[in-house]
Structures are given as structure tokens and as C-alpha cells.
Amino acid sequence: QEGLLSVILYLAWVIAVMMSVPISKGLRERFTLLLSLHLSIGFAILCVVVPNYYILLLSRALTGICVGLNDCTTGLFAAKLVSSKEILIQCSFLSGALFVFQLEEFGCRY
């Protein structure tokens, strides 16, 4: 069951990453970041209120969408505001470190 939860999470994450560029262009980066943050909070609360296995699967999918949208939009936002190569290198390093931390939080052991 945990394998299915992980697969759903990562598939939703990939879909959100692919969709984040058009969404960010349409809604702007700041609004997209705030939207994904608020949606992830709402989805977590919704899925705690209704304890069911299928709701847990839905929760993982929605969390994956929010995290993927947030990750890619953060990268787009940082790349748009970067003023030098040094800042870009620091942003990419921090983004990689944050990605590893998120993988550990979701239970992926490497």
C-alpha cells in the first residue's frame, strides 16, 4: 500500500511540474506560490477529516500536485529575479537541498 501511495504522489508531482509553467504564466508566480501553499493546507485538513483509504490516495495526489507546483514555480520565480551567476548557483544549491529534504519527509529513503 505504501508503494502505491508513493507512486501516486510522484506521478502527481510530475504532472504538476509539467503544468506549472503555463499556470505561472497565466496567474503570475507569486499568486501561484500562495495558491499551492493554501491548497496544500486545505487538502491536508480535508483528508484528516474524512478517514478513508481512497481519501488517503486522493490526499497524496493533491499533495503531490501542490508540492510539484510549488517547486517548479519557485525555480521559475528565482530564475526570473536572479541578477548574477553567483545567486543562481546558490539558488540551485538550496533548491537541491530542499528537494532532498522533501524526499525524506515523504518517506523516500535512498
Side-chain angles (χ1 to χ4, degrees), residues 18 20 23 29 36 43-44 50 56 70 76 82-83 94 106 108:
M18 290 188 293
S20 65
I23 290 173
E29 289 86 5
S36 67
F43 293 151
V50 184
L56 179 63
N70 197 4
L76 290 171
V82 153
S83 59
L94 290 174
F106 285 120
C108 179

Side-chain angles (χ1 to χ4, degrees), residues 54-71:
Y54 296 109
I55 299 296
L56 179 63
L57 292 176
L58 179 67
S59 152
R60 287 297 172 114
L62 295 174
T63 301
I65 288 172
C66 290
V67 169
L69 189 64
N70 197 4
D71 282 347

Side-chain angles (χ1 to χ4, degrees), residues 3-72:
L4 183 61
L5 291 172
S6 297
V7 167
I8 287 175
L9 175 80
Y10 291 120
L11 282 176
W13 194 331
V14 167
I15 291 169
V17 166
M18 290 188 293
M19 295 300 296
S20 65
V21 175
I23 290 173
S24 295
K25 284 183 181 178
L27 298 176
R28 304 283 186 243
E29 289 86 5
R30 289 183 190 196
F31 182 75
T32 307
L33 288 172
L34 288 173
L35 181 69
S36 67
L37 174 69
H38 286 84
L39 285 177
S40 65
I41 292 169
F43 293 151
I45 292 171
L46 172 75
C47 296
V48 167
V49 171
V50 184
N52 186 354
Y53 180 69
Y54 296 109
I55 299 296
L56 179 63
L57 292 176
L58 179 67
S59 152
R60 287 297 172 114
L62 295 174
T63 301
I65 288 172
C66 290
V67 169
L69 189 64
N70 197 4
D71 282 347
C72 193

Side-chain angles (χ1 to χ4, degrees), residues 66-92:
C66 290
V67 169
L69 189 64
N70 197 4
D71 282 347
C72 193
T73 307
T74 303
L76 290 171
F77 194 60
K80 187 176 179 180
L81 297 177
V82 153
S83 59
S84 68
K85 269 189 179 177
E86 290 80 22
I87 295 174
L88 179 63
I89 292 170
Q90 290 173 358
C91 285
S92 58

